[in-house]
Amino acid sequence: MIDMHCHVLPWVDDGASSLEEGLALVEVAAASGIGTMVLTPKVDPGRHDNTRTNLTRKFDAFRTLAIRRGLEVELHLGAEAILSPAMMELLGRGEVPFVGRWCGHDVLLLRWQEPYIPVGAVGAMKQMLDQHVLPMLVHPERNPGVVRFPQALEMFVGEGCLIQVDSASLIGTHGPEVEATARLLIERGWASVVASNARSAIESPARLRRGFEILADLYGADRARALVVDHPAALLRVDPNEAAGLRDAPDPIATDEVPTLPPEFQISGRRSPGFVHPSNVSVH
């Protein structure tokens, strides 16, 4: 599996609080079947004053230690960007790490801090798209405003935004309403990726394994694999079998090619490339 959202890089946000804890979480990820992790510390000026410059140094040191420990998980640096004017200013300076790239757009893991869709969210999205930055909305199924009115996300999906669902939401950790909303996003074809959002021994990378099992039970193995292997690999532009630790899986893609998704998982937005929204799903 490929985990596109986690907080295991120590001392940078509300995730791992020590080097040993961070390395232990990577070890748990490996034992749970995760072959690649994108480390996504928060970029939230005034709370978590992280930038690409300072995060890169810390990430490189952490990855070196993980390799020396013999942890067989490929690590990448990304970020969870909290929407604010200050974050947008950092983004304009190139100081917010991206989690991948899709059709000429850098992909930004973007979170709304407010318990509703904030004023200015649509304008910020359009500004990002004009700068060839494609937002991936972070666990919107946990946003109370979205829980009350999931259809509000249609304006973002229609513009091509991606959506990341937390595995804990599918497990039911955040309650039945959040679980139902997470399933709705997947059933409508709006969810692009399912990730662990791991940050501690309790909020563990192992939750992605359980989320994968639930996805396979509800929607079949192919859909489960798409959300935790194939779509993340397409964003990272890597061989999905190698990145997920599936060394013996058949027909790997070439790493120097842009991965091609099945036709049913491709649809163009009005302004941006779109990603994994099935064309045969009717949205009401």
Side-chain angles (χ1 to χ4, degrees):
M1 298 179 293
I2 301 172
D3 193 356
M4 293 292 292
H5 180 188
C6 64
H7 298 273
V8 305
L9 187 65
W11 304 311
V12 294
D13 58 11
D14 56 355
S17 58
S18 70
L19 184 59
E20 286 303 318
E21 183 180 19
L23 292 170
L25 290 171
V26 176
E27 187 173 2
V28 169
S32 302
I34 295 171
T36 297
M37 303 178 82
V38 183
L39 278 52
T40 52
K42 292 179 180 177
V43 173
D44 187 13
R47 288 192 183 91
H48 305 291
D49 292 313
N50 295 314
T51 64
R52 179 190 298 274
T53 300
N54 64 39
L55 287 173
T56 298
R57 293 193 298 267
K58 296 172 183 177
F59 170 78
D60 288 344
F62 183 76
R63 181 172 58 180
T64 297
L65 287 171
I67 292 171
R68 289 176 179 173
R69 288 280 183 95
L71 300 178
E72 296 185 356
V73 178
E74 183 68 29
L75 302 180
H76 296 258
L77 177 63
E80 177 185 6
I82 312 302
L83 182 61
S84 71
M87 187 284 294
M88 293 293 290
E89 194 271 334
L90 284 178
L91 182 64
R93 287 165 39 201
E95 282 289 352
V96 182
F98 300 111
V99 296
R101 190 164 173 83
W102 183 248
C103 292
H105 285 59
D106 293 312
V107 179
L108 177 71
L109 201 61
L110 180 68
R111 179 182 171 187
W112 301 322
Q113 187 68 40
E114 299 84 351
Y116 48 82
I117 297 177
V119 175
V122 173
M125 170 192 67
K126 292 181 178 180
Q127 181 180 341
M128 291 178 194
L129 293 174
D130 288 342
Q131 297 172 358
H132 299 285
V133 174
L134 184 61
M136 177 184 285
L137 303 179
V138 174
H139 52 65
E141 77 280 358
R142 292 172 51 186
N143 185 294
V146 173
V147 170
R148 287 191 298 271
F149 189 66
Q151 292 82 356
L153 289 177
E154 189 170 359
M155 70 182 84
F156 298 93
V157 174
E159 296 286 354
C161 287
L162 314 182
I163 288 178
Q164 177 256 304
V165 168
D166 275 2
S167 54
S169 300
L170 291 169
I171 295 168
T173 302
H174 302 295
E177 290 185 338
V178 170
E179 180 182 355
T181 305
R183 292 189 183 189
L184 178 66
L185 298 183
I186 291 168
E187 289 161 7
R188 290 193 173 190
W190 291 357
S192 313
V193 168
V194 172
S196 76
N197 196 12
R199 65 191 64 233
S200 67
I202 296 174
E203 299 177 271
S204 165
R207 296 188 304 187
L208 187 57
R209 166 61 64 183
R210 180 58 184 144
F212 175 84
E213 293 168 352
I214 290 172
L215 287 168
D217 287 342
L218 291 174
Y219 309 113
D222 289 346
R223 191 72 172 276
R225 175 182 164 119
L227 290 166
V228 302
V229 177
D230 295 331
H231 298 166
L235 291 171
L236 294 172
R237 297 170 66 91
V238 297
D239 182 313
N241 298 321
E242 289 293 326
L246 304 173
R247 302 294 191 268
D248 300 323
D251 301 324
I253 62 170
T255 56
D256 59 349
E257 297 176 356
V258 176
T260 300
L261 296 176
E264 66 270 20
F265 286 107
Q266 298 184 60
I267 182 171
S268 295
R270 291 188 292 273
R271 292 169 52 88
S272 63
F275 187 42
V276 297
H277 317 301
S279 57
N280 60 346
V281 174
S282 297
V283 178
H284 301 287

PDB file of all heavy atoms in Angstrom, residues 170 186-187 194 210-231 265:
ATOM      1  N   LEU A 170     -13.518   5.457   7.602  1.00  0.00           N
ATOM      2  CA  LEU A 170     -14.164   4.235   7.122  1.00  0.00           C
ATOM      3  C   LEU A 170     -14.320   3.208   8.236  1.00  0.00           C
ATOM      4  O   LEU A 170     -15.283   2.447   8.266  1.00  0.00           O
ATOM      5  CB  LEU A 170     -13.348   3.627   5.982  1.00  0.00           C
ATOM      6  CG  LEU A 170     -13.340   4.410   4.670  1.00  0.00           C
ATOM      7  CD1 LEU A 170     -12.284   3.837   3.739  1.00  0.00           C
ATOM      8  CD2 LEU A 170     -14.713   4.359   4.019  1.00  0.00           C
ATOM      9  N   ILE A 186     -16.866   7.981  -1.591  1.00  0.00           N
ATOM     10  CA  ILE A 186     -16.312   6.893  -2.390  1.00  0.00           C
ATOM     11  C   ILE A 186     -17.334   6.401  -3.400  1.00  0.00           C
ATOM     12  O   ILE A 186     -17.033   6.192  -4.579  1.00  0.00           O
ATOM     13  CB  ILE A 186     -15.836   5.755  -1.471  1.00  0.00           C
ATOM     14  CG1 ILE A 186     -14.603   6.219  -0.672  1.00  0.00           C
ATOM     15  CG2 ILE A 186     -15.498   4.504  -2.283  1.00  0.00           C
ATOM     16  CD1 ILE A 186     -14.223   5.309   0.458  1.00  0.00           C
ATOM     17  N   GLU A 187     -18.570   6.235  -2.967  1.00  0.00           N
ATOM     18  CA  GLU A 187     -19.603   5.711  -3.858  1.00  0.00           C
ATOM     19  C   GLU A 187     -19.924   6.674  -4.996  1.00  0.00           C
ATOM     20  O   GLU A 187     -20.300   6.249  -6.094  1.00  0.00           O
ATOM     21  CB  GLU A 187     -20.856   5.389  -3.040  1.00  0.00           C
ATOM     22  CG  GLU A 187     -20.659   4.169  -2.145  1.00  0.00           C
ATOM     23  CD  GLU A 187     -21.665   4.080  -1.006  1.00  0.00           C
ATOM     24  OE1 GLU A 187     -22.614   4.893  -0.974  1.00  0.00           O
ATOM     25  OE2 GLU A 187     -21.491   3.193  -0.147  1.00  0.00           O
ATOM     26  N   VAL A 194      -7.338   7.048  -0.268  1.00  0.00           N
ATOM     27  CA  VAL A 194      -7.572   6.783   1.150  1.00  0.00           C
ATOM     28  C   VAL A 194      -6.208   6.686   1.821  1.00  0.00           C
ATOM     29  O   VAL A 194      -5.311   6.009   1.314  1.00  0.00           O
ATOM     30  CB  VAL A 194      -8.385   5.496   1.371  1.00  0.00           C
ATOM     31  CG1 VAL A 194      -8.444   5.134   2.851  1.00  0.00           C
ATOM     32  CG2 VAL A 194      -9.801   5.670   0.815  1.00  0.00           C
ATOM     33  N   ARG A 210      -6.641  -1.820   7.749  1.00  0.00           N
ATOM     34  CA  ARG A 210      -8.049  -2.077   8.057  1.00  0.00           C
ATOM     35  C   ARG A 210      -8.956  -1.335   7.078  1.00  0.00           C
ATOM     36  O   ARG A 210      -9.976  -1.872   6.630  1.00  0.00           O
ATOM     37  CB  ARG A 210      -8.343  -1.658   9.496  1.00  0.00           C
ATOM     38  CG  ARG A 210      -9.792  -1.888   9.914  1.00  0.00           C
ATOM     39  CD  ARG A 210     -10.198  -3.329   9.777  1.00  0.00           C
ATOM     40  NE  ARG A 210     -11.601  -3.532  10.087  1.00  0.00           N
ATOM     41  CZ  ARG A 210     -12.389  -4.410   9.462  1.00  0.00           C
ATOM     42  NH1 ARG A 210     -11.902  -5.168   8.474  1.00  0.00           N
ATOM     43  NH2 ARG A 210     -13.645  -4.544   9.805  1.00  0.00           N
ATOM     44  N   GLY A 211      -8.587  -0.107   6.734  1.00  0.00           N
ATOM     45  CA  GLY A 211      -9.369   0.629   5.752  1.00  0.00           C
ATOM     46  C   GLY A 211      -9.395  -0.073   4.407  1.00  0.00           C
ATOM     47  O   GLY A 211     -10.445  -0.126   3.737  1.00  0.00           O
ATOM     48  N   PHE A 212      -8.245  -0.603   4.000  1.00  0.00           N
ATOM     49  CA  PHE A 212      -8.176  -1.351   2.741  1.00  0.00           C
ATOM     50  C   PHE A 212      -9.108  -2.565   2.779  1.00  0.00           C
ATOM     51  O   PHE A 212      -9.816  -2.853   1.806  1.00  0.00           O
ATOM     52  CB  PHE A 212      -6.738  -1.795   2.488  1.00  0.00           C
ATOM     53  CG  PHE A 212      -6.575  -2.669   1.275  1.00  0.00           C
ATOM     54  CD1 PHE A 212      -6.450  -2.116   0.023  1.00  0.00           C
ATOM     55  CD2 PHE A 212      -6.552  -4.047   1.401  1.00  0.00           C
ATOM     56  CE1 PHE A 212      -6.299  -2.921  -1.105  1.00  0.00           C
ATOM     57  CE2 PHE A 212      -6.407  -4.866   0.290  1.00  0.00           C
ATOM     58  CZ  PHE A 212      -6.283  -4.296  -0.970  1.00  0.00           C
ATOM     59  N   GLU A 213      -9.110  -3.263   3.901  1.00  0.00           N
ATOM     60  CA  GLU A 213      -9.975  -4.446   4.027  1.00  0.00           C
ATOM     61  C   GLU A 213     -11.453  -4.066   3.924  1.00  0.00           C
ATOM     62  O   GLU A 213     -12.251  -4.766   3.287  1.00  0.00           O
ATOM     63  CB  GLU A 213      -9.692  -5.157   5.346  1.00  0.00           C
ATOM     64  CG  GLU A 213      -8.301  -5.781   5.404  1.00  0.00           C
ATOM     65  CD  GLU A 213      -7.902  -6.222   6.804  1.00  0.00           C
ATOM     66  OE1 GLU A 213      -8.655  -5.895   7.760  1.00  0.00           O
ATOM     67  OE2 GLU A 213      -6.857  -6.884   6.938  1.00  0.00           O
ATOM     68  N   ILE A 214     -11.827  -2.949   4.548  1.00  0.00           N
ATOM     69  CA  ILE A 214     -13.218  -2.491   4.477  1.00  0.00           C
ATOM     70  C   ILE A 214     -13.574  -2.105   3.040  1.00  0.00           C
ATOM     71  O   ILE A 214     -14.654  -2.452   2.538  1.00  0.00           O
ATOM     72  CB  ILE A 214     -13.438  -1.314   5.441  1.00  0.00           C
ATOM     73  CG1 ILE A 214     -13.367  -1.812   6.894  1.00  0.00           C
ATOM     74  CG2 ILE A 214     -14.781  -0.625   5.180  1.00  0.00           C
ATOM     75  CD1 ILE A 214     -13.378  -0.700   7.917  1.00  0.00           C
ATOM     76  N   LEU A 215     -12.670  -1.392   2.376  1.00  0.00           N
ATOM     77  CA  LEU A 215     -12.911  -1.023   0.985  1.00  0.00           C
ATOM     78  C   LEU A 215     -13.106  -2.259   0.111  1.00  0.00           C
ATOM     79  O   LEU A 215     -14.008  -2.296  -0.741  1.00  0.00           O
ATOM     80  CB  LEU A 215     -11.733  -0.202   0.459  1.00  0.00           C
ATOM     81  CG  LEU A 215     -11.604   1.229   0.967  1.00  0.00           C
ATOM     82  CD1 LEU A 215     -10.239   1.795   0.581  1.00  0.00           C
ATOM     83  CD2 LEU A 215     -12.712   2.107   0.407  1.00  0.00           C
ATOM     84  N   ALA A 216     -12.261  -3.264   0.310  1.00  0.00           N
ATOM     85  CA  ALA A 216     -12.370  -4.477  -0.491  1.00  0.00           C
ATOM     86  C   ALA A 216     -13.695  -5.192  -0.229  1.00  0.00           C
ATOM     87  O   ALA A 216     -14.336  -5.696  -1.163  1.00  0.00           O
ATOM     88  CB  ALA A 216     -11.194  -5.401  -0.195  1.00  0.00           C
ATOM     89  N   ASP A 217     -14.116  -5.228   1.020  1.00  0.00           N
ATOM     90  CA  ASP A 217     -15.385  -5.875   1.357  1.00  0.00           C
ATOM     91  C   ASP A 217     -16.570  -5.139   0.745  1.00  0.00           C
ATOM     92  O   ASP A 217     -17.527  -5.765   0.259  1.00  0.00           O
ATOM     93  CB  ASP A 217     -15.561  -5.946   2.879  1.00  0.00           C
ATOM     94  CG  ASP A 217     -14.649  -6.973   3.528  1.00  0.00           C
ATOM     95  OD1 ASP A 217     -14.134  -7.849   2.798  1.00  0.00           O
ATOM     96  OD2 ASP A 217     -14.440  -6.894   4.754  1.00  0.00           O
ATOM     97  N   LEU A 218     -16.520  -3.803   0.779  1.00  0.00           N
ATOM     98  CA  LEU A 218     -17.669  -3.010   0.323  1.00  0.00           C
ATOM     99  C   LEU A 218     -17.696  -2.827  -1.188  1.00  0.00           C
ATOM    100  O   LEU A 218     -18.782  -2.852  -1.797  1.00  0.00           O
ATOM    101  CB  LEU A 218     -17.642  -1.637   0.994  1.00  0.00           C
ATOM    102  CG  LEU A 218     -17.921  -1.591   2.493  1.00  0.00           C
ATOM    103  CD1 LEU A 218     -17.704  -0.171   3.016  1.00  0.00           C
ATOM    104  CD2 LEU A 218     -19.360  -2.047   2.786  1.00  0.00           C
ATOM    105  N   TYR A 219     -16.522  -2.626  -1.791  1.00  0.00           N
ATOM    106  CA  TYR A 219     -16.485  -2.190  -3.186  1.00  0.00           C
ATOM    107  C   TYR A 219     -15.643  -3.082  -4.092  1.00  0.00           C
ATOM    108  O   TYR A 219     -15.554  -2.805  -5.291  1.00  0.00           O
ATOM    109  CB  TYR A 219     -15.950  -0.748  -3.263  1.00  0.00           C
ATOM    110  CG  TYR A 219     -16.678   0.190  -2.335  1.00  0.00           C
ATOM    111  CD1 TYR A 219     -16.027   0.761  -1.238  1.00  0.00           C
ATOM    112  CD2 TYR A 219     -18.019   0.495  -2.526  1.00  0.00           C
ATOM    113  CE1 TYR A 219     -16.694   1.617  -0.381  1.00  0.00           C
ATOM    114  CE2 TYR A 219     -18.694   1.339  -1.664  1.00  0.00           C
ATOM    115  CZ  TYR A 219     -18.021   1.898  -0.584  1.00  0.00           C
ATOM    116  OH  TYR A 219     -18.690   2.736   0.268  1.00  0.00           O
ATOM    117  N   GLY A 220     -15.021  -4.102  -3.537  1.00  0.00           N
ATOM    118  CA  GLY A 220     -14.218  -5.012  -4.332  1.00  0.00           C
ATOM    119  C   GLY A 220     -12.735  -4.682  -4.282  1.00  0.00           C
ATOM    120  O   GLY A 220     -12.329  -3.556  -3.979  1.00  0.00           O
ATOM    121  N   ALA A 221     -11.927  -5.688  -4.579  1.00  0.00           N
ATOM    122  CA  ALA A 221     -10.473  -5.553  -4.456  1.00  0.00           C
ATOM    123  C   ALA A 221      -9.904  -4.521  -5.429  1.00  0.00           C
ATOM    124  O   ALA A 221      -8.956  -3.802  -5.097  1.00  0.00           O
ATOM    125  CB  ALA A 221      -9.806  -6.904  -4.681  1.00  0.00           C
ATOM    126  N   ASP A 222     -10.468  -4.425  -6.632  1.00  0.00           N
ATOM    127  CA  ASP A 222      -9.934  -3.488  -7.609  1.00  0.00           C
ATOM    128  C   ASP A 222     -10.121  -2.043  -7.139  1.00  0.00           C
ATOM    129  O   ASP A 222      -9.215  -1.214  -7.275  1.00  0.00           O
ATOM    130  CB  ASP A 222     -10.606  -3.683  -8.965  1.00  0.00           C
ATOM    131  CG  ASP A 222     -10.177  -4.969  -9.650  1.00  0.00           C
ATOM    132  OD1 ASP A 222      -9.169  -5.569  -9.211  1.00  0.00           O
ATOM    133  OD2 ASP A 222     -10.852  -5.375 -10.617  1.00  0.00           O
ATOM    134  N   ARG A 223     -11.297  -1.731  -6.608  1.00  0.00           N
ATOM    135  CA  ARG A 223     -11.541  -0.366  -6.126  1.00  0.00           C
ATOM    136  C   ARG A 223     -10.660  -0.065  -4.915  1.00  0.00           C
ATOM    137  O   ARG A 223     -10.125   1.043  -4.783  1.00  0.00           O
ATOM    138  CB  ARG A 223     -13.020  -0.215  -5.757  1.00  0.00           C
ATOM    139  CG  ARG A 223     -13.479   1.209  -5.484  1.00  0.00           C
ATOM    140  CD  ARG A 223     -13.544   2.023  -6.760  1.00  0.00           C
ATOM    141  NE  ARG A 223     -14.142   3.330  -6.562  1.00  0.00           N
ATOM    142  CZ  ARG A 223     -15.444   3.570  -6.570  1.00  0.00           C
ATOM    143  NH1 ARG A 223     -16.300   2.573  -6.769  1.00  0.00           N
ATOM    144  NH2 ARG A 223     -15.903   4.795  -6.399  1.00  0.00           N
ATOM    145  N   ALA A 224     -10.495  -1.038  -4.034  1.00  0.00           N
ATOM    146  CA  ALA A 224      -9.635  -0.839  -2.868  1.00  0.00           C
ATOM    147  C   ALA A 224      -8.202  -0.570  -3.297  1.00  0.00           C
ATOM    148  O   ALA A 224      -7.549   0.354  -2.802  1.00  0.00           O
ATOM    149  CB  ALA A 224      -9.700  -2.065  -1.959  1.00  0.00           C
ATOM    150  N   ARG A 225      -7.721  -1.351  -4.228  1.00  0.00           N
ATOM    151  CA  ARG A 225      -6.345  -1.161  -4.702  1.00  0.00           C
ATOM    152  C   ARG A 225      -6.183   0.202  -5.375  1.00  0.00           C
ATOM    153  O   ARG A 225      -5.163   0.875  -5.205  1.00  0.00           O
ATOM    154  CB  ARG A 225      -5.950  -2.272  -5.667  1.00  0.00           C
ATOM    155  CG  ARG A 225      -4.568  -2.027  -6.269  1.00  0.00           C
ATOM    156  CD  ARG A 225      -4.140  -3.068  -7.267  1.00  0.00           C
ATOM    157  NE  ARG A 225      -3.018  -2.535  -8.034  1.00  0.00           N
ATOM    158  CZ  ARG A 225      -1.805  -3.076  -8.069  1.00  0.00           C
ATOM    159  NH1 ARG A 225      -1.535  -4.154  -7.378  1.00  0.00           N
ATOM    160  NH2 ARG A 225      -0.860  -2.527  -8.813  1.00  0.00           N
ATOM    161  N   ALA A 226      -7.199   0.614  -6.119  1.00  0.00           N
ATOM    162  CA  ALA A 226      -7.113   1.916  -6.788  1.00  0.00           C
ATOM    163  C   ALA A 226      -6.895   3.037  -5.781  1.00  0.00           C
ATOM    164  O   ALA A 226      -6.077   3.934  -5.999  1.00  0.00           O
ATOM    165  CB  ALA A 226      -8.381   2.169  -7.602  1.00  0.00           C
ATOM    166  N   LEU A 227      -7.599   2.987  -4.659  1.00  0.00           N
ATOM    167  CA  LEU A 227      -7.573   4.084  -3.695  1.00  0.00           C
ATOM    168  C   LEU A 227      -6.330   4.093  -2.814  1.00  0.00           C
ATOM    169  O   LEU A 227      -5.954   5.151  -2.289  1.00  0.00           O
ATOM    170  CB  LEU A 227      -8.826   4.032  -2.817  1.00  0.00           C
ATOM    171  CG  LEU A 227     -10.131   4.394  -3.540  1.00  0.00           C
ATOM    172  CD1 LEU A 227     -11.341   3.981  -2.706  1.00  0.00           C
ATOM    173  CD2 LEU A 227     -10.185   5.880  -3.860  1.00  0.00           C
ATOM    174  N   VAL A 228      -5.680   2.954  -2.635  1.00  0.00           N
ATOM    175  CA  VAL A 228      -4.503   2.917  -1.751  1.00  0.00           C
ATOM    176  C   VAL A 228      -3.221   2.504  -2.463  1.00  0.00           C
ATOM    177  O   VAL A 228      -2.151   2.527  -1.847  1.00  0.00           O
ATOM    178  CB  VAL A 228      -4.734   1.986  -0.534  1.00  0.00           C
ATOM    179  CG1 VAL A 228      -5.940   2.432   0.266  1.00  0.00           C
ATOM    180  CG2 VAL A 228      -4.882   0.544  -0.958  1.00  0.00           C
ATOM    181  N   VAL A 229      -3.312   2.178  -3.759  1.00  0.00           N
ATOM    182  CA  VAL A 229      -2.097   1.812  -4.501  1.00  0.00           C
ATOM    183  C   VAL A 229      -2.001   2.587  -5.816  1.00  0.00           C
ATOM    184  O   VAL A 229      -1.101   3.388  -6.018  1.00  0.00           O
ATOM    185  CB  VAL A 229      -2.027   0.292  -4.775  1.00  0.00           C
ATOM    186  CG1 VAL A 229      -0.790  -0.038  -5.617  1.00  0.00           C
ATOM    187  CG2 VAL A 229      -2.007  -0.497  -3.483  1.00  0.00           C
ATOM    188  N   ASP A 230      -2.950   2.341  -6.719  1.00  0.00           N
ATOM    189  CA  ASP A 230      -2.791   2.833  -8.085  1.00  0.00           C
ATOM    190  C   ASP A 230      -2.882   4.352  -8.195  1.00  0.00           C
ATOM    191  O   ASP A 230      -2.062   4.982  -8.878  1.00  0.00           O
ATOM    192  CB  ASP A 230      -3.835   2.178  -8.996  1.00  0.00           C
ATOM    193  CG  ASP A 230      -3.630   0.677  -9.116  1.00  0.00           C
ATOM    194  OD1 ASP A 230      -2.475   0.223  -8.994  1.00  0.00           O
ATOM    195  OD2 ASP A 230      -4.624  -0.047  -9.317  1.00  0.00           O
ATOM    196  N   HIS A 231      -3.877   4.957  -7.557  1.00  0.00           N
ATOM    197  CA  HIS A 231      -3.999   6.408  -7.642  1.00  0.00           C
ATOM    198  C   HIS A 231      -2.838   7.120  -6.939  1.00  0.00           C
ATOM    199  O   HIS A 231      -2.264   8.069  -7.498  1.00  0.00           O
ATOM    200  CB  HIS A 231      -5.337   6.871  -7.068  1.00  0.00           C
ATOM    201  CG  HIS A 231      -6.523   6.323  -7.814  1.00  0.00           C
ATOM    202  ND1 HIS A 231      -7.805   6.370  -7.318  1.00  0.00           N
ATOM    203  CD2 HIS A 231      -6.616   5.701  -9.013  1.00  0.00           C
ATOM    204  CE1 HIS A 231      -8.637   5.818  -8.184  1.00  0.00           C
ATOM    205  NE2 HIS A 231      -7.942   5.401  -9.216  1.00  0.00           N
ATOM    206  N   PHE A 265     -12.018   5.644 -14.495  1.00  0.00           N
ATOM    207  CA  PHE A 265     -11.506   6.497 -13.440  1.00  0.00           C
ATOM    208  C   PHE A 265     -10.890   7.779 -14.007  1.00  0.00           C
ATOM    209  O   PHE A 265     -10.010   8.362 -13.413  1.00  0.00           O
ATOM    210  CB  PHE A 265     -10.477   5.758 -12.585  1.00  0.00           C
ATOM    211  CG  PHE A 265     -11.088   4.755 -11.670  1.00  0.00           C
ATOM    212  CD1 PHE A 265     -10.971   3.411 -11.919  1.00  0.00           C
ATOM    213  CD2 PHE A 265     -11.816   5.159 -10.570  1.00  0.00           C
ATOM    214  CE1 PHE A 265     -11.550   2.483 -11.069  1.00  0.00           C
ATOM    215  CE2 PHE A 265     -12.394   4.237  -9.724  1.00  0.00           C
ATOM    216  CZ  PHE A 265     -12.258   2.891  -9.985  1.00  0.00           C
TER     217      PHE A 265
END
